[in-house]
């Protein structure tokens, strides 16, 4: 199993594992919610694109603050989802929880591409449903793999469940035919590549739930998840 496969596995586990570490270490108190300001939209601004990213598990409401200083429902941003909005520079928005709590305010700037993150705050954070059932934090903690554990056997990475760090010098010296895409699998300019430089736009949108560190944690699957994947594999491996 090539290092690229290992890297993909690490990325796919990053968010869940980060959440486990966050829960184990204890969550910080959410910040206070903003105080409503005297927002009003300005006219004659240039058209601009804005992505509203909701980092709450529940849906939130997006309101456009009109030229009359009144709120008009513009849309709903789904839990842990994004909403792409075509707007204009100078237009003002408020984001509220389903209970009406103000989560954020945003005024569209002159930048052509904009990204506004909506985070839990104050009492609105208490409206958030738990990520898992009570008591499962101990189960998830037991599945974590020590990052300092050596990757064995050293010459057969398909059996690894570990984190391997390589310096630039080590990468430059290794036999590239053992890593990355091989001739015939991809276009020639991507042969032996172990980096994805095309489908990368989602990286910036992956929430980082741990305050420090790389954001990666290798962990074993839960019994339920493993059973489902094995069942799927057995049913489809001959496709």
């Amino acid at each position: 199993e090539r290092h690229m496969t290992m890297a993909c596995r690490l990325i796919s586990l990053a968010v869940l594992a980060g959440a486990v570490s966050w829960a184990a270490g204890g969550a910080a108190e959410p910040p206070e919610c903003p105080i409503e300001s005297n927002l009003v939209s300005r006219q004659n601004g240039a058209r601009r694109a804005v992505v509203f990213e909701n980092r709450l598990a529940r849906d939130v409401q997006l309101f456009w603050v009109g030229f009359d200083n009144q709120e008009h429902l513009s849309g709903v941003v789904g839990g842990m989802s994004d909403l792409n909005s075509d707007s204009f520079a100078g237009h003002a928005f408020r984001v509220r929880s389903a209970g009406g709590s103000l989560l954020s305010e945003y005024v569209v700037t002159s930048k052509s591409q904009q990204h506004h993150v909506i985070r839990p705050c104050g009492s609105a954070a208490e409206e958030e449903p738990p990520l898992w059932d009570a008591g499962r934090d101990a189960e998830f903690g037991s599945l974590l793999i020590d990052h300092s554990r050596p990757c064995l056997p050293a010459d057969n990475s398909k059996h690894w469940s570990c984190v391997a760090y390589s310096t630039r010098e080590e990468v430059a010296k290794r036999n590239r035919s053992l890593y990355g895409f091989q001739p015939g699998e991809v276009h020639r300019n991507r042969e032996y590549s172990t980096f994805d430089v095309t489908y990368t736009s989602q990286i910036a949108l992956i929430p980082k739930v741990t305050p420090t560190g790389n954001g990666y944690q290798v962990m074993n699957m839960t019994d339920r998840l493993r059973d489902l994947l094995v069942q799927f594999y057995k049913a489809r491996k001959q496709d």
Side-chain angles (χ1 to χ4, degrees), residues 122-140:
S123 61
E126 299 175 3
E127 302 174 13
E128 287 290 280
L131 292 174
W132 50 73
D133 296 334
R136 294 204 71 190
D137 52 334
E139 174 193 356
F140 294 141

Side-chain angles (χ1 to χ4, degrees), residues 39-224:
L39 277 185
V40 62
S41 290
R42 302 191 310 273
Q43 301 186 51
N44 302 321
R47 183 181 294 274
R48 292 293 180 257
V50 184
V51 177
F52 291 92
E53 178 190 349
N54 179 14
R55 292 194 179 178
L56 286 78
R58 295 184 179 182
D59 297 352
V60 298
Q61 297 176 316
L62 178 66
F63 292 91
W64 174 60
V65 183
F67 308 120
D68 56 359
N69 202 28
Q70 299 299 307
E71 294 184 3
H72 308 271
L73 183 62
S74 177
V76 174
V77 189
M80 301 300 290
S81 300
D82 299 344
L83 176 68
N84 297 304
S85 176
D86 288 327
S87 188
F88 297 87
H91 279 208
F93 293 88
R94 289 193 182 104
V95 181
R96 297 187 181 275
S97 68
S101 299
L102 179 64
L103 300 173
S104 67
E105 294 182 328
Y106 184 74
V107 178
V108 181
T109 69
S110 60
K111 294 181 178 180
S112 58
Q113 298 289 331
Q114 299 173 53
H115 183 201
H116 177 63
V117 179
I118 306 160
R119 295 181 172 87
C121 64
S123 61
E126 299 175 3
E127 302 174 13
E128 287 290 280
L131 292 174
W132 50 73
D133 296 334
R136 294 204 71 190
D137 52 334
E139 174 193 356
F140 294 141
S142 69
L143 299 173
L144 301 181
I145 293 177
D146 184 2
H147 280 198
S148 63
R149 190 172 74 179
C151 297
L152 299 173
D155 59 347
N156 199 343
S157 62
K158 72 178 182 180
H159 296 293
W160 289 2
S161 288
C162 60
V163 177
Y165 298 96
S166 299
T167 65
R168 288 181 179 272
E169 293 74 16
E170 290 171 336
V171 172
K173 292 178 180 179
R174 68 190 183 187
N175 183 353
R176 65 177 186 168
S177 67
L178 300 177
Y179 300 88
F181 294 116
Q182 299 298 296
E185 294 180 338
V186 292
H187 192 274
R188 289 186 62 183
N189 64 354
R190 297 186 64 195
E191 289 178 357
Y192 311 114
S193 174
T194 57
F195 294 92
D196 185 357
V197 295
T198 53
Y199 299 100
T200 58
S201 60
Q202 80 283 358
I203 294 176
L205 303 179
I206 299 175
K208 189 175 188 303
V209 296
T210 50
T212 60
N214 297 329
Y216 297 101
Q217 173 65 63
V218 181
M219 63 186 297
N220 291 313
M221 297 180 185
T222 63
D223 291 341
R224 173 62 174 163

